Amino acid sequence: MSSAAKFAIFTAFCVSFGAQWAIAQEAVPPGEAEVPVIASFEALLQSATKDLEASATGSDAMANMALARVAFSSTDLAVQSTGIPLAEKAAELGAVEANLLLGDIYRRGGYGTAPDLLKAKGYFETAFKDGSLQAAVALGSLYLDTDFTAEGRKRGIELLSAAAEDGSIEAANALANVYLLGRGVTPDTSKALHYYGVGLVSNSNTSIVAVGDLLRTGASKLQPNPEVALQFFQRASTQGDLGAGRRIADMHLRGEAVAQDIAGAIGMLTELAEKGDTNSYIALGDIFTRGEFVPTNGPRAIGYYQGAETLGNTAGMTRLAELYIAGLPDTPIDLGQALDLYTKAAELGNTGAKRALARALLSGQFGSTDPRRAIALLEESARLGDGQAAKELAVLYAGNEPFPANYDEVKTYLDLALAVGNTTAALEVGSAIATGPLARTHREDARALLTGAMDGGVPGAAAVLARLQLDGAFPAQGVSGVITMLNGAAKSGDIESARFLIGLYRDGYGLLLPPDPAAATDFLNSVSANIGPEATTVERIHLEALTSEDADTLASVGEQISTLSKASAIQVLDILRRKNARAYVYVLQKGLASRGEYSGPLSGTLDATTIRAFNAVCSALNAERACAPGPLTRGALLTLGNYVLQPTT
């Protein structure tokens, strides 16, 4: 270790602990030890440094662990990396805390160290054998996230169960999530609530908020109850949970369990932000960027995002970059600003910014491409524990662009993505292997990965498997086998698989399966409680759009779309423009008429009056270029749809 690195480590350590050390020295009874003369701060610092260095090179686990933590607290990567051997020495000397810390470091990467799942499991296992409940939770979660075999799932659940029985609230919450999502077990909302109860009786905010979320949205065999959910959030909020406070504000914003109060919600978030909650600044910026509840206001959104940035939340920078990329009526697109913001956030360690820059360098979004730099950025992000970056690297290495396919690299980055909890990475990576150049040699690996993900309860895994089987990427089970598989996943609470099966009945699948709207409707009715009211409405509109263009259907579609969130409404409009142009035009006519910008009949007919109204809006929004290809294009959809769905007050 260099003298500079030592000095940085020991300086930080002694600033933290020098006072306590001096007090301890003063407390030594006379005659038992000589009290040192403290001539100056520097002299005490030097004495403490020598003392700790001597202890650390011997058999003092505490000294090694303390110095390791000081190293990890440094902002200098070179100093951080010196903490690894110190922590490893502490682990060798039997420090349980060192084993826990090293397990987490090797699971996620960081401090100049690449992730290593075998090492992570080894350190967690050692801590677990020493009786650490925290190690049992970490190890159980690691097995469930990375090992999709029956043995791996069993081991994960056994570890979490043992820790929960010994009183670990963290383990109980993890088990609740396992039973709620059906992660390798049959979904069981009652069991989930039982395990959340461990935290509730201990007044754990984590458990209180989790049950509030469950009651707000509902779950299998549990109807939504936003009124009671609000009570849970209020309890956690009074106990200092900022996330609960933001949820209360969001319920007032949407009118859930209370009368809608947009101004009140903004006031609540403003109060939280002024207390230093940077995520409330982000939420406020999003409100004025997305325009779902109030008209968009670029300058106001920018101010909120900058407020988060000022308090050190680099997400404010990335949100600002996204705003400058998309633009708003009062905030023009500015790719230069966006690039500067992403670069600044990436330099400060924001993994989302690193990913955004990498994608831009692969696609040429900001004017040039640089695949090597893009890969380097993704690798930096993955080493910081970014599971999304790790997944994107695995997908890139499953293809031949920008570099030749490499299964070993795919496996390395997939393992990392899974290790940090990005279990859905298995779906995209498995699909990329099965449909890319690696299929010839690793098709069975892809199928085993996807089958394990499905058996392990990863949402959407059955839908991905079904699509690949229908397309011939894997040996076919036949249409009936695919439908049986999707049915089982849907009944287990897999919303994505349920919606895929609805679409399969509704649209058919080439020559394999003819469309059957009646079967789609029946199946939708049977799973509507599981997929929720918003998704059910989207699917009902989709079904109606296939069957008729009469006046009653147009009116029904227009009424239903008004109940959706803006994001879902845009999704529906995109469906309509491709499958029922009259319904699409009708919704836009209705929206423009409510603003006094269209005076013709609500007919769904794209006549001259309608086209003039559309063009006037595109011109007013400086979006002529996006609208020029025609009103039924995606550019026109985003311009006109966002405008008519934006609140008028």
Side-chain angles (χ1 to χ4, degrees):
M1 184 187 301
S2 70
S3 59
K6 286 182 181 178
F7 183 78
I9 292 173
F10 293 133
T11 297
F13 177 82
C14 292
V15 167
S16 300
F17 295 98
Q20 291 91 325
W21 181 85
I23 291 169
Q25 290 294 310
E26 291 174 0
V28 174
E32 292 190 13
E34 183 179 350
V35 178
V37 175
I38 303 174
S40 66
F41 175 81
E42 288 75 14
L44 178 59
L45 173 63
Q46 188 175 30
S47 175
T49 298
K50 290 179 180 178
D51 184 52
L52 283 169
E53 188 173 22
S55 296
T57 55
S59 58
D60 191 334
M62 179 185 71
N64 279 282
M65 193 61 219
L67 294 175
R69 284 203 173 279
V70 174
F72 295 147
S73 70
S74 172
T75 56
D76 185 334
L77 185 60
V79 175
Q80 289 178 8
S81 64
T82 65
I84 299 295
L86 288 165
E88 289 176 338
K89 182 67 178 293
E92 289 172 11
L93 295 169
V96 175
E97 185 183 8
N99 281 296
L100 280 170
L101 181 60
L102 287 165
D104 195 56
I105 289 171
Y106 281 111
R107 175 178 183 172
R108 303 174 186 279
Y111 307 127
T113 300
D116 187 324
L117 285 186
L118 287 178
K119 282 189 175 181
K121 284 184 178 179
Y123 282 115
F124 284 142
E125 288 280 10
T126 300
F128 173 62
K129 289 173 184 175
D130 286 335
S132 168
L133 291 183
Q134 192 176 345
V137 177
L139 196 56
S141 299
L142 190 59
Y143 271 104
L144 287 171
D145 288 342
T146 62
D147 189 340
F148 293 141
T149 65
E151 294 78 10
R153 294 194 298 273
K154 180 181 177 183
R155 172 76 167 142
I157 291 169
E158 285 176 345
L159 285 162
L160 291 175
S161 298
E165 288 171 7
D166 283 340
S168 168
I169 295 173
E170 187 181 2
N173 285 337
L175 274 173
N177 194 50
V178 164
Y179 281 101
L180 191 62
L181 299 178
R183 294 286 309 279
V185 296
T186 301
D188 190 328
T189 303
S190 294
K191 275 193 175 181
L193 289 170
H194 165 73
Y195 282 113
Y196 279 136
V198 174
L200 292 181
V201 298
S202 300
N203 212 27
S204 162
N205 276 346
T206 301
S207 303
I208 293 169
V209 171
V211 176
D213 287 338
L214 192 58
L215 290 166
R216 185 180 179 185
T217 59
S220 177
K221 299 181 181 178
L222 180 70
Q223 291 299 313
N225 193 334
E227 290 78 12
V228 177
L230 183 60
Q231 295 173 21
F232 276 74
F233 296 146
Q234 288 168 335
R235 182 182 183 91
S237 180
T238 59
Q239 295 177 171
D241 191 285
L242 296 175
R246 290 193 298 274
R247 284 167 170 83
I248 293 169
D250 192 62
M251 292 182 77
H252 282 77
L253 187 68
R254 300 175 187 280
E256 295 178 23
V258 292
Q260 187 177 40
D261 183 0
I262 295 171
I266 291 172
M268 292 176 196
L269 290 170
T270 301
E271 185 177 346
L272 288 169
E274 289 173 349
K275 290 179 179 178
D277 180 25
T278 57
N279 286 322
S280 287
Y281 275 118
I282 299 293
L284 286 163
D286 290 347
I287 287 172
F288 288 97
T289 298
R290 294 170 182 169
E292 185 177 347
F293 302 101
V294 296
T296 56
N297 187 322
R300 195 164 177 182
I302 289 170
Y304 287 126
Y305 291 145
Q306 288 174 338
E309 177 188 345
T310 300
L311 293 177
N313 188 337
T314 54
M317 297 181 207
T318 62
R319 287 289 214 285
L320 266 177
E322 292 164 5
L323 190 157
Y324 284 121
I325 288 171
L328 289 173
D330 53 5
T331 307
I333 291 172
D334 189 336
L335 296 183
Q337 278 266 53
L339 178 58
D340 289 345
L341 286 161
Y342 276 141
T343 302
K344 182 180 177 182
E347 289 171 350
L348 292 171
N350 184 289
T351 56
K354 290 178 187 290
R355 267 187 279 117
L357 280 176
R359 292 169 187 158
L361 290 169
L362 289 170
S363 67
Q365 180 182 17
F366 295 131
S368 62
T369 60
D370 187 345
R372 292 189 182 280
R373 177 60 181 147
I375 294 295
L377 282 164
L378 289 173
E379 287 175 343
E380 288 173 17
S381 193
R383 289 194 184 100
L384 290 170
D386 182 357
Q388 180 67 17
K391 184 266 293 182
E392 291 182 20
L393 282 165
V395 171
L396 284 171
Y397 280 112
N400 278 328
E401 292 291 340
F403 306 116
N406 185 320
Y407 184 73
D408 289 339
E409 295 283 7
V410 172
K411 191 72 170 59
T412 295
Y413 287 111
L414 172 61
D415 284 348
L416 173 55
L418 297 176
V420 296
N422 186 5
T423 53
T424 58
L427 311 188
E428 194 169 339
V429 175
S431 183
I433 295 170
T435 58
L438 295 174
R440 185 175 60 84
T441 52
H442 293 283
R443 188 185 308 275
E444 285 306 306
D445 292 312
R447 183 162 64 162
L449 174 63
L450 292 169
T451 302
M454 181 180 69
D455 293 341
V458 177
V464 173
L465 262 174
R467 186 179 293 107
L468 290 169
Q469 287 172 353
L470 291 169
D471 289 343
F474 295 137
Q477 295 184 16
V479 173
S480 61
V482 167
I483 289 175
T484 298
M485 178 179 70
L486 289 168
N487 245 312
K491 294 297 165 53
S492 294
D494 186 343
I495 294 173
E496 292 180 51
S497 295
R499 296 188 72 175
F500 183 81
L501 184 51
I502 293 166
L504 199 59
Y505 282 132
R506 180 189 63 232
D507 302 327
Y509 209 87
L511 298 176
L512 294 175
L513 183 70
D516 189 344
T521 299
D522 290 343
F523 184 68
L524 173 59
N525 291 337
S526 73
V527 297
S528 61
N530 287 341
I531 69 175
E534 183 109 336
T536 298
T537 299
V538 171
E539 296 298 342
R540 288 202 192 286
I541 293 174
H542 200 163
L543 280 163
E544 285 188 27
L546 287 177
T547 56
S548 175
E549 294 183 349
D550 62 27
D552 288 342
T553 298
L554 299 183
S556 174
V557 167
E559 182 61 31
Q560 290 183 80
I561 205 171
S562 68
T563 69
L564 296 173
S565 67
K566 186 176 180 182
S568 292
I570 290 290
Q571 176 191 346
V572 168
L573 277 176
D574 198 20
I575 293 168
L576 295 177
R577 76 179 176 89
R578 291 177 284 113
K579 297 195 173 183
N580 189 330
R582 283 197 68 194
Y584 168 76
V585 172
Y586 174 90
V587 172
L588 295 179
Q589 287 175 335
K590 184 178 179 182
L592 292 177
S594 70
R595 287 164 167 73
E597 296 175 26
Y598 173 73
S599 57
L602 302 181
S603 61
T605 301
L606 197 59
D607 54 23
T609 303
T610 302
I611 292 173
R612 280 196 298 272
F614 287 179
N615 288 340
V617 170
C618 291
S619 178
L621 296 175
N622 296 316
E624 294 97 331
R625 185 173 180 181
C627 297
L632 296 179
T633 60
R634 182 161 177 78
L637 155 73
L638 294 176
T639 300
L640 297 168
N642 276 300
Y643 179 73
V644 302
L645 294 170
Q646 180 170 270
T648 55
T649 58

